[in-house]
Amino acid sequence: MADHNSHEEATLTNGNHEYLDKDYSHSDALKRIRTAGSISISPELFEKLYLSPERKVKGDLRKKFGNPTPIGIAGFILSTTPLACDLMGWRGAGGGGAAQIGVYYGCGAILMLVGGLLEFFLGNTFPAVVFMTFGGFWFSLASTLVPSFGAYAAYSPDSTDPAAGSTAPGFQASFAFFYLFMGMLCLIYMIASIRTNAFFVTIFFGLFMTFVLLTGSEWEMAQSHMAAGMNCDIAAGAFAFIACLCGWYLFLVQMLESVDFPLNLPVFDLSTMVKGEIERRKAKEEYSA
């Protein structure tokens, strides 16, 4: 009865229009969305459901389909966490993550591309771009590691041993640029994520540092500075692991919300603290009036 009263307090009704605030669970919010003729969701609740600030979009697909955000997050954590452990050399792991090629394709590429495509259809631009670009990253990385793609065969000093090309200075120095510009991409994502939540910011900071260190590792190894390169790999794995821990937390939050679990974990929403340009402009116009 108390829970029912709290939901009544969390719902403001104005004629046929309803407003849901952040106290609503994922399942209750979606039930209201499906049954109400006209409805608004608080910025905090929307950000918790979709990990993106609310923007006005055409159509009502959000009322008809489930939340695809956990799909993309699952792809991220299932592919990045093993790679982080490989880079840090835990339990004798190594090989630059080559043992996880199937994981990169099946979880990293497919799950993140599917999640990103569904986010795109719902009008959630930021998570759509993030998931799909990382899906492309995992597909590219896995393909580079597959010998039949011949990515490093051209750099091999011995035509009978294509695998030797993967440690050739030319290949390492060239592949480093891919990591470098992935780091630049993550820097842009980190800046944009200041409008989402604290965990997204931490994830992108960790990934930015990961790619910067991987770039340094490739360039150091290309110059035969193997010890420095290995240290960069270990540090990159540590930053990636921190990002993964935040990813696992967000996945837990999303899964608990999906089954209306009686535990409301915070995501430290920043969308209401860092005001959007449209909101700032509107407030300025109201102040001027």
Side-chain angles (χ1 to χ4, degrees):
M1 186 65 180
D3 183 64
H4 176 71
N5 290 335
S6 64
H7 277 189
E8 284 184 345
E9 293 173 0
T11 307
L12 300 178
T13 305
N14 182 11
N16 293 325
H17 183 86
E18 288 189 81
Y19 175 82
L20 303 185
D21 74 4
K22 63 181 179 179
D23 295 325
Y24 260 86
S25 68
H26 177 277
S27 60
D28 286 335
L30 291 182
K31 286 177 184 176
R32 290 280 185 170
I33 292 171
R34 293 189 183 105
T35 57
S38 177
I39 197 162
S40 298
I41 306 176
S42 72
E44 296 92 340
L45 179 58
F46 187 93
E47 202 285 326
K48 191 170 186 179
L49 291 175
Y50 298 106
L51 302 182
S52 176
E54 184 177 11
R55 298 295 299 272
K56 291 183 179 180
V57 296
K58 295 181 179 180
D60 59 351
L61 292 179
R62 288 171 182 159
K63 302 176 185 179
K64 297 179 180 179
F65 298 107
N67 181 11
T69 306
I71 298 175
I73 297 177
F76 167 73
I77 57 179
L78 288 176
S79 51
T80 310
T81 311
L83 176 59
C85 296
D86 284 350
L87 290 172
M88 290 186 290
W90 285 2
R91 303 293 297 173
Q100 315 292 342
I101 290 176
V103 177
Y104 302 155
Y105 277 126
C107 295
I110 294 178
L111 285 183
M112 296 197 77
L113 286 172
V114 169
L117 188 62
L118 294 175
E119 294 277 12
F120 172 79
F121 288 141
L122 294 183
N124 300 328
T125 302
F126 182 63
V129 174
V130 170
F131 291 155
M132 295 187 77
T133 51
F134 268 91
F137 165 77
W138 289 116
F139 189 89
S140 301
L141 179 62
S143 298
T144 302
L145 295 174
V146 173
S148 60
F149 271 77
Y152 45 75
Y155 294 88
S156 176
D158 184 359
S159 59
T160 62
D161 184 18
S166 62
T167 57
F171 173 79
Q172 292 176 319
S174 299
F175 195 70
F177 285 105
F178 182 46
Y179 288 141
L180 176 65
F181 294 113
M182 281 299 300
M184 184 178 295
L185 193 69
C186 289
L187 177 61
I188 295 172
Y189 289 159
M190 183 181 70
I191 296 172
S193 67
I194 294 174
R195 281 273 293 142
T196 59
N197 62 70
F199 286 96
F200 250 18
V201 175
T202 306
I203 286 174
F204 290 124
F205 173 74
L207 292 176
F208 168 71
M209 292 301 300
T210 297
F211 285 118
V212 168
L213 288 164
L214 287 176
T215 302
S217 172
E218 294 290 341
W219 281 340
E220 289 291 339
M221 289 186 178
Q223 298 184 25
S224 300
H225 301 159
M226 307 308 292
M230 291 298 295
N231 288 336
C232 285
D233 278 344
I234 294 172
F239 276 106
F241 192 75
I242 292 172
C244 290
L245 291 178
C246 293
W248 281 103
Y249 179 84
L250 287 179
F251 184 72
L252 174 63
V253 169
Q254 295 271 308
M255 287 294 94
L256 294 183
E257 290 288 341
S258 70
V259 296
D260 194 22
F261 197 85
L263 178 62
N264 189 18
L265 296 176
V267 295
F268 302 105
D269 173 40
L270 302 176
S271 63
T272 55
M273 297 177 61
V274 183
K275 302 296 183 182
E277 179 60 27
I278 296 176
E279 192 174 353
R280 286 174 180 268
R281 194 180 306 146
K282 187 181 297 184
K284 186 176 181 180
E285 290 174 354
E286 290 177 354
Y287 178 77
S288 300

